[in-house]
Amino acid sequence: MTLVASEAVPFAKTGGLGDVVGAIPRALSRLGVNVTVVLPAYPPCFQQPHEDTGKSITILMGDKPRKARLLRATFPGGLGELVLIDQPDLYQRSGIYGDPSGADYPDNCERFAFLCRAAFEALDVLDLPVDCLHAHDWQGGLVPAYLRHLYGDHPRFRHAGSLFTIHNAVFQGIFPKGQWRHLGLGESLFSRGNLDYHDQICFLKGGILESAIVTAVSERYAKEIQGPEFGCGMDPFLRDRAHARRLVGIVNGIDVEHWDPAMDAALPSVFDRKRWRKGKSECKRALLRELGLPEVPGRPLLGMVGRLTEQKGLDLFVGGAESLMHLNAQYVVLGTGEERYRSFFSRLMAEYPERVAARFAFDEGLAHRIYAGSDMFLMPSRFEPCGLSQLYGLRYGSVPVVHAVGGLVDTVCPVTPRNLANHKATGFSFQQFTAEAFVRCLRRATQAFADKKLWSSLVERGMREDWSWENSARHYLETYKSAKEHRLLELGARSS
Ligand code: ADP
């Protein structure tokens, strides 16, 4: 199996995409499948063990030929391999998608078109078998188009199936059509409409239309993106694909070895689902100390880790700030992102230094300590394709409080009288995306925190749940198989 993506833990990560692409190879390897991930060689990749294959590729896209060295690396534990595309002009930069100010690099069209094209050339030069090509998000969006239109008759790729996974339909890879020359595809493909979106190039649309099968990262999100509210303009194409039974929802899992409160080296104290009270309260005490927040017995600590963007529902925090500061709660926020949210949390922290601690950095260790040391994990996302953080929250005994949307619906069973009676509830959720509903939900959650028996049952149930990759990896395997069958049928139809 071959994955093409712009992130893969531990080589590159800005969010959930990196976690997922880093975890699939391990999960598939355990099922006996050989996996190779093709990834750009960003600066942090060179800190991981790797070797130079001594081979290179040269691709003419646009006006100049670009050469790339091919490096090989292995995922930890030898579970899955990588091909790293070392093209310093395109990938030796401080960020993956843009500079620290948040501005996208102006040549992202060329950078990720090159990645998709380089994947084919590299797999061929390195003589690697290709069964199915699995491309991720808009950065991998040209892979299915290249497979169909440039490499469809190439013996190595002729029988390969193609799968395209949407991790977030908001990010679409839209560029002026003047940049078409970077794609190395004939002009007629643009006018035929496959990659053309309102007279611009759209990588995401290309991935949706040209792949054998499209997947989204939860069943709920696979439905939501067929409608105008969450489809972000892609909904008509996604509806078509769904009618043709070519759109599938496969919920993400988590890497339960990397995210294990019983083994986590980032934590001051470890714990497991059977004995969690002592370890978790030591983690909480240490975290409060690290953040400079006072310890107040009986007061829950509410954590948030994530991109500080509109998607993550921060406007509900802004709108409800006054009421939130009157709840019996303390808050810790870790994130990078938009200036307006950073200044909001800075102000809140200055005004309520005993209640709020915010850190604006990408800090993996602190993220782990927040999952372990907080009592609740907040995800009031406006939309959420799957969300991994709530799964980490569940595994680390931090009860999720979520907006009932996307993957959050598929993964958090809300506290209701019925779900409590059936011993199913694992978190709190609210339906309407308003500050009032968010505050009401948090009020309920903080009151429930005072009920020790109820709280313990929530924590324990969440920690017991199995969100490992195994089931989803099997689902991907089946889907690879049908993507390949579609390809064989297509070839059969062509030759008959
Ligand atoms: P998304 O992919 O939309 O960003 P997810 O919940 O799927 O959201 O995944 C987010 C991942 O990124 C989680 O592993 C989370 O812990 C991590 N993360 C986000 N922001 C930070 C940060 N500032 N520091 C450390 N880890 C972060």
Side-chain angles (χ1 to χ4, degrees), residues 13-17 19 259 305-307 311-312 334-336 361-364 367 371 379 384 387-389 392:
K13 164 172 171 177
T14 69
L17 172 68
D19 283 346
W259 295 94
V305 177
R307 292 178 290 114
Q311 177 197 336
K312 297 296 173 182
L334 169 66
T336 53
F362 198 92
D363 185 336
E364 189 78 30
Y371 292 116
M379 262 177 109
E384 195 57 75
L388 296 174
S389 303
Y392 301 142

Side-chain angles (χ1 to χ4, degrees), residues 90-101:
L90 297 178
Y91 306 128
Q92 281 297 311
R93 311 212 180 152
S94 58
I96 291 183
Y97 308 118
D99 59 35
S101 76

